[in-house]
Every structure is written in C-alpha cells, then in structure tokens.
Amino acid sequence: MNDISFKEIDTRLLTKNNRLTYQLTNLFIQLFLVYLNTNYYQENKNFWYFIRVINKYKTRKQKYIKMEDAGEHYEEEFGELAVVFGDFHIPMRATDIPEQFKELILPNKIQYVLCTGNVGSRDTYDWIKSISNQCHIVKGDFDENTEYPEFKVVTIGSFKIAIIHGHQIVPWGDEEALYNQLRELDADILISGHTHDQIASKVDKKYILNPGTITGAYSPLKRNALPSFLLLEIKDKLINVYLYQLQNDEIKIKQTTITK
C-alpha cells in the first residue's frame, strides 16, 4: 500500500462530498496527533522539566518562567542557577557522564558551577568549564591538579556557600563533623562530596548538601551509588534545591527549599 499524506486524504474525501466521513477522519487525525505529542512529552518529561527551569524569557519584561512537576503548573520569579556535582572518577571508576544528564546540563544556561572534585580526565574538566564562566572546583582525594583549592567559599545572593570535597572530614560523611566544618568556614551552606550519597539536610539553621556522584562511580562507602547531581535556584534569601537522580535509566527529581 502506498503512503498517503493527510492532505491527500482530505482532498479525496472532499471530492466525494462525504462531509461526515471527512469530519470523522479529521477528528481521528487530531486525536492521533495528540496521542503522539503526549507520548513524546512523557518520554522526554525530564528534559522539558529541566528546560523550563533553566530557560529565561528572551525579553526583560518577561520576569517569570513556567515549571512543571507531577502535572502541576505554577509560576515562580526566576533566580540565579547553580549546578552542583562531583566525584566523576573518569576514567578510573567510570567511563563517562550519563547522556541523560549531558542533555540537561547545557552551556550558557547556568550561572554557576559548584564542583566537589575528583574530576579525573582533562576532557571532563573541559566539559565542566564549558558550562559557565563561573566555575568553582575544589580538590578531591584523587585529583592530580594542584591548582584546585582544598575548599572554597562563594557568595550567591544572600548565601555564603562553602565547598569541600569531604575526604578531610572524619568520620567521612558524619553530620556533626560536617556541621563543625561549616561553622569553621562561617558559611550558611556546606557542599561536600566523597561519600557518593546524595543528601540535603538542615542542621541548626544551616544546611548540608551532597550532590552524590554524577557518574554513579563505585565507592567503598556506597557500592551501588546512583548517578546524581543538584540544581540550585537562588533567589536572594531563598534557594530551591532540585535533586536529580538516575534510576533504571529514568531521571527522578525531588525538590526542597532552603531559607535564610
């Protein structure tokens, strides 16, 4: 059977002057297109969700963006964005960043990059630097680049954010030890890696974040680590934290809020 375009079908039906058949066929075509669009949206739901978060409106007059999560539509005033990731371990423990994440983390869409270290290869470093011209990378226990600092404190909005890899913390990943480090650095938020375990917790009006491992690299502390990263939407005295995690090739997103 030869392929027949929608336009050709319409022409033949009109020629026969069969209005009812034409209307039913046209309705079927519209429903079929809606079905295709719905399936495409569901398959790419995480991509479109991420794009709605990171895409600014093109004109200054448009001050709001639409975001979608679990079928709920809402508007929020847009803030500055920071992507938080680390523990790549490429090529020692992982071959590459998941393609699902690469499709989301695009250059010139995010203002800040906060990296907890263990970058690995030069190609990985170049990819990180391509995302934003404001990249903050600290030294992991496997990083050979001596230019990375042991820790770094940056101010975004009203928040002082301290970044450290985490191997310096004893015991590793201990909340009390992390809190003591946070107080020592005189910051509002401590971003730490090393454990490969994604965390967002509040301790005595301060916050501890761990993006996990963006590649899902093996760790003695967490053998079955899932690939993950964080996206921060920073708006003066409020931060929306989006926790991205790859589970069975599907991106799962959770959200929490930090206030000052």
Side-chain angles (χ1 to χ4, degrees):
M1 180 181 293
N2 294 328
D3 292 334
I4 301 175
S5 69
F6 292 145
K7 185 175 181 180
E8 289 172 337
I9 290 175
D10 288 348
T11 303
R12 293 183 185 185
L13 290 173
L14 286 171
T15 302
K16 293 182 179 180
N17 199 25
N18 191 335
R19 181 172 297 179
L20 178 60
T21 305
Y22 167 73
Q23 291 175 344
L24 290 174
T25 304
N26 195 39
L27 177 61
F28 169 77
I29 292 169
Q30 292 181 34
L31 291 174
F32 182 66
L33 291 174
V34 169
Y35 169 78
L36 289 178
N37 288 334
T38 301
N39 277 0
Y40 178 80
Y41 171 77
Q42 290 297 330
E43 291 174 1
N44 296 273
K45 182 178 180 180
N46 293 306
F47 173 76
W48 293 116
Y49 175 85
F50 193 89
I51 291 301
R52 289 185 182 201
V53 173
I54 67 174
N55 277 345
K56 291 183 178 179
Y57 277 133
K58 294 181 180 179
T59 64
R60 294 182 180 179
K61 293 181 181 180
Q62 295 170 307
K63 297 181 180 178
Y64 297 90
I65 62 167
K66 290 184 178 180
M67 297 192 294
E68 179 170 315
D69 186 17
E72 296 180 2
H73 296 268
Y74 56 98
E75 288 187 341
E76 292 198 6
E77 188 176 355
F78 199 84
E80 291 188 293
L81 294 177
V83 63
V84 185
F85 47 48
D87 287 300
F88 295 78
H89 291 283
I90 297 173
M92 291 77 74
R93 301 183 189 176
T95 56
D96 202 356
I97 303 156
E99 285 299 324
Q100 295 93 326
F101 288 172
K102 282 186 175 181
E103 292 173 357
L104 300 181
I105 306 172
L106 302 173
N108 304 317
K109 298 293 184 181
I110 297 170
Q111 286 73 48
Y112 300 91
V113 173
L114 310 178
C115 178
T116 59
N118 279 346
V119 172
S121 70
R122 177 70 191 191
D123 287 343
T124 306
Y125 173 79
D126 291 341
W127 177 79
I128 294 171
K129 296 291 286 185
S130 73
I131 298 169
S132 170
N133 58 8
Q134 299 191 74
C135 289
H136 304 282
I137 306 173
V138 295
K139 190 176 186 300
D141 51 341
F142 285 93
D143 281 321
E144 297 180 357
N145 191 330
T146 57
E147 295 181 0
Y148 299 153
E150 286 290 324
F151 66 89
K152 198 165 189 179
V153 179
V154 297
T155 300
I156 307 176
S158 299
F159 293 88
K160 288 180 67 178
I161 303 174
I163 314 163
I164 190 170
H165 176 251
H167 65 281
Q168 308 94 330
I169 304 297
V170 180
W172 290 339
D174 181 75
E175 189 173 84
E176 184 177 351
L178 288 166
Y179 178 70
N180 290 336
Q181 181 69 71
L182 174 56
R183 292 184 60 188
E184 183 179 329
L185 295 173
D186 190 27
D188 303 302
I189 300 168
L190 177 67
I191 295 175
S192 173
H194 188 58
T195 62
H196 296 204
D197 191 15
Q198 190 181 60
I199 290 173
S201 62
K202 181 179 180 180
V203 183
D204 191 24
K205 298 182 180 181
K206 294 183 181 290
Y207 298 87
I208 297 171
L209 303 178
N210 189 325
T213 165
I214 192 169
T215 59
Y218 162 85
S219 167
L221 299 176
K222 195 174 182 67
R223 297 191 176 186
N224 298 317
L226 296 173
S228 60
F229 72 93
L230 304 175
L231 181 69
L232 310 183
E233 184 190 8
I234 304 166
K235 299 182 285 189
D236 192 26
K237 295 185 178 182
L238 182 144
I239 299 179
N240 288 317
V241 182
Y242 299 93
L243 299 89
Y244 284 76
Q245 194 172 76
L246 191 63
Q247 301 178 15
N248 299 319
D249 291 328
E250 183 179 352
I251 295 177
K252 302 292 185 180
I253 307 167
K254 295 181 181 179
Q255 188 265 337
T256 188
T257 302
I258 290 175
T259 57
K260 189 172 182 180

